[in-house]
Amino acid sequence: MAGDGHLGEFELIRRYFTRSDGRPAAGVTVAGIGDDAAVLRIPAGCDLVAAVDTIVEGRHFPRGSEPRSIGHRALAVNLSDIAAMGATPAWATLALTLPAADPDWLEGFSAGLFELARRHGVDLVGGDTTAGPLTVSVQVLGVVPSGEALRRGGTRAGDLIAVTGTLGDAGAGLEIALSPRRPEDRQALALAQRFLYPTPRVEFGRAARRIARAAMDVSDGMAGDLAKFAAAGGLAAHVDVERLPLSAALLGFAPLERALDHALAGGDDYELLVAVGPAEAARLAAAAEESATPLTVIGEFRAGRGVHWTRGGHPFTPARGGFDHFAGPSTQFTD
Amino acid sequence: MAGDGHLGEFELIRRYFTRSDGRPAAGVTVAGIGDDAAVLRIPAGCDLVAAVDTIVEGRHFPRGSEPRSIGHRALAVNLSDIAAMGATPAWATLALTLPAADPDWLEGFSAGLFELARRHGVDLVGGDTTAGPLTVSVQVLGVVPSGEALRRGGTRAGDLIAVTGTLGDAGAGLEIALSPRRPEDRQALALAQRFLYPTPRVEFGRAARRIARAAMDVSDGMAGDLAKFAAAGGLAAHVDVERLPLSAALLGFAPLERALDHALAGGDDYELLVAVGPAEAARLAAAAEESATPLTVIGEFRAGRGVHWTRGGHPFTPARGGFDHFAGPSTQFTD
């Protein structure tokens, strides 16, 4: 630190991770970075919602990914979890392990992180940087009126199953980002962006809170995540793959079978899966429109267990399961 | 996962990190592991205190460390931060990156983590496991009556400076743990234990909240941490190294100069540094006694800046600075 151009941990935190414009959308930051711990005040009558998710180089994103995307994604994957609870994000903490304190990298990473944080009124209140293999662990704290968090369970037979946005874009986008000769056309770039800069459905999740019966985010691929959603409510999900929302970009990039595979098992979509009583479906559609979030009904819950996939009415079996970080990951890169 | 003995992420979390006996000492866990995020209810009139700290293999602990110690330390370093705020820990989340899902390792790690969690009434409410180089990031959430968190600043000229426990044991303990021929005598083992199983001063921190003026934890070595403590209050710390509390085990193991070096720059002590008005010193000593925590007055704050070290009244300069994760770490092992 003594004038040798080497960036120490404290200087690093001060320079890249201390912003004075952090004003949480919900709650008050009494003390942020600079003490042993942050002191936070949540509004009266609210519960706290806490999500934590880690992204590791070579596993959740390719080596050499642009740092701005890494900063964005590390926060986005957690905002998606907060959105799935119908909560309002307020604070984040960051545990950053990185091989070297490279100023260019840190500039990009923090820009990506803070850009998304600002958009959602999130204040970074605590951090920890360590030298080591690139690993980014973010925790987001949000608030929700007491007892109103949107849980995974609580679905009932007859509930409609709906999903936001389109599925499979990120899976295809990752394939594009990994290909040695990156396609340069607009559609391919749009898909790559969907992997690099996912959009957490925060506004919709909050709007859905009092309308939907249950929600979870789709992060490990629809096939595996829908199975978890069904299990949480002790019901059977009946979904026809022809109803899955696929983007024009995805259908332009990949043959239908490959597009469906991305949609079912690609992972990294960060869309919301919601269950809604049929009588509330119109209200939910209106809430989606208000937050400019595409929403598609893809099936329904019935008595039973598991996921019953059909395709045009005929039984169908997805080719791959969901993403599991230890058992056959579908997005394991190099190591 | 299909009978091949391979442990999937969800099974891993279920088996090792879901305990039904988690009842937080403060607050209510509305929803823990198993949803997109945890839902937590903090008592009315309380602020939330959030700490995050990461430990990385080969940097914060030697490669091949016993897993039980790693689990203990990952939580302990965060409990120490919560203690330094005078708060009561309530919940923890875990982001665990590990090379392979080895059942023996996980058994030891989770035992170390949960043993300490139970002792302090901490409920593990969220987790994330990923394959990658061993990195353990824990966040602890605690509660404190609104406005009463014990901050680093707020010291006044004339305040006494006190520290809990003894200093330098962990630094010597690490040296012992790293030595190829580990000494087997009782004192050496006791020092190694101090590194492997630090004692966060949670009870004392809470008791000190209404008595002390300010506090911080000593994790990166007294020399560097005291400088930060002084800077936070805009004062000068005057401390004579002969007043630093050194254990008999440390003095038996190392020559005095080496013992002092461990005490000043060794790091990993996880003791609490507190500032107290002279009129309150007796009450603080009584609080320390009540929580069976050794407490030693080592100096005082005066107008000025920086740390003024003396030794037997003569100016003294510590040989090394504190631990900095990017600028010349004192506990960097191998890589």
Side-chain angles (χ1 to χ4, degrees), chain B residues 69-84:
Chain B
S69 159
I70 301 170
H72 177 102
R73 294 186 81 238
L75 180 59
V77 301
N78 284 287
L79 289 177
S80 181
D81 282 326
I82 296 290

Side-chain angles (χ1 to χ4, degrees), chain B residues 137-210:
Chain B
S137 188
V138 167
Q139 164 137 355
V140 174
L141 301 172
V143 303
V144 67
S146 283
E148 291 194 12
L150 202 48
R151 307 287 303 276
R152 274 190 196 179
T155 46
R156 299 188 202 161
D159 281 356
L160 300 178
I161 301 169
V163 69
T164 60
T166 53
L167 299 169
D169 296 338
L174 171 59
E175 192 181 301
I176 290 163
L178 285 174
S179 66
R181 286 183 312 152
R182 267 173 86 149
E184 292 292 327
D185 63 290
R186 216 164 41 138
Q187 276 185 337
L189 289 178
L191 293 172
Q193 287 298 101
R194 287 271 287 159
F195 173 78
L196 296 170
Y197 297 94
T199 304
R201 301 296 189 180
V202 175
E203 292 79 9
F204 173 73
R206 193 162 47 212
R209 191 177 67 232
R210 295 178 177 191

Side-chain angles (χ1 to χ4, degrees), chain B residues 154-275:
Chain B
T155 46
R156 299 188 202 161
D159 281 356
L160 300 178
I161 301 169
V163 69
T164 60
T166 53
L167 299 169
D169 296 338
L174 171 59
E175 192 181 301
I176 290 163
L178 285 174
S179 66
R181 286 183 312 152
R182 267 173 86 149
E184 292 292 327
D185 63 290
R186 216 164 41 138
Q187 276 185 337
L189 289 178
L191 293 172
Q193 287 298 101
R194 287 271 287 159
F195 173 78
L196 296 170
Y197 297 94
T199 304
R201 301 296 189 180
V202 175
E203 292 79 9
F204 173 73
R206 193 162 47 212
R209 191 177 67 232
R210 295 178 177 191
I211 306 169
R213 202 102 75 188
M216 75 176 279
D217 84 327
V218 187
S219 55
D220 295 339
M222 180 55 115
D225 285 338
L226 186 57
K228 283 184 230 162
F229 201 30
L235 292 170
H238 291 255
V239 174
D240 196 290
V241 294
E242 294 189 353
R243 300 177 79 176
L244 296 179
L246 306 179
S247 70
L250 178 62
L251 291 168
F253 168 76
L256 181 61
E257 298 307 308
R258 185 82 189 119
L260 266 182
D261 185 56
H262 280 307
L264 286 164
D268 296 312
D269 285 318
Y270 302 104
E271 296 294 350
L272 290 190
L273 198 49
V274 292

Side-chain angles (χ1 to χ4, degrees), chain A residues 111-323:
Chain A
L113 182 78
F114 279 105
E115 212 169 274
L116 186 63
R118 254 192 309 274
R119 203 178 311 154
H120 291 285
V122 169
D123 190 13
L124 185 74
V125 293
D128 174 55
T129 62
T130 333
L134 186 53
T135 307
V136 191
S137 188
V138 167
Q139 164 138 351
V140 174
L141 301 172
V143 302
V144 68
S146 283
E148 291 193 14
L150 202 47
R151 308 286 302 277
R152 275 191 195 177
T155 46
R156 298 188 203 163
D159 281 358
L160 300 177
I161 302 169
V163 69
T164 61
T166 53
L167 299 169
D169 296 340
L174 171 59
E175 191 180 301
I176 290 162
L178 286 174
S179 66
R181 287 183 312 153
R182 265 174 85 149
E184 292 292 329
D185 63 289
R186 218 166 38 140
Q187 276 184 336
L189 290 178
L191 293 172
Q193 286 300 100
R194 287 270 286 159
F195 173 79
L196 296 170
Y197 297 95
T199 305
R201 301 295 189 181
V202 176
E203 292 78 8
F204 173 73
R206 192 161 47 212
R209 191 177 68 233
R210 295 180 176 190
I211 307 170
R213 203 103 72 187
M216 76 175 279
D217 84 328
V218 187
S219 55
D220 295 339
M222 179 55 113
D225 285 340
L226 186 56
K228 283 184 230 160
F229 201 28
L235 292 171
H238 289 255
V239 174
D240 195 292
V241 293
E242 293 190 354
R243 300 178 79 175
L244 296 179
L246 306 179
S247 71
L250 178 61
L251 291 168
F253 169 75
L256 180 59
E257 297 308 308
R258 185 84 189 117
L260 267 181
D261 186 56
H262 279 309
L264 287 164
D268 295 314
D269 285 318
Y270 302 105
E271 297 294 351
L272 290 191
L273 197 50
V274 292
V276 63
E280 307 297 332
R283 272 178 71 209
L284 191 68
E289 201 156 319
E290 229 168 271
S291 61
T293 308
L295 184 72
T296 308
V297 173
I298 58 170
E300 60 177 17
F301 280 118
R302 298 185 201 156
R305 289 283 181 278
V307 183
H308 298 255
W309 290 106
T310 53
R311 183 169 182 178
H314 302 289
F316 174 82
T317 305
R320 295 186 289 160
F323 180 91

Side-chain angles (χ1 to χ4, degrees), chain A residues 316-332:
Chain A
F316 174 82
T317 305
R320 295 186 289 160
F323 180 91
D324 185 304
H325 296 294
F326 282 101
S330 58
T331 48
Q332 189 167 358

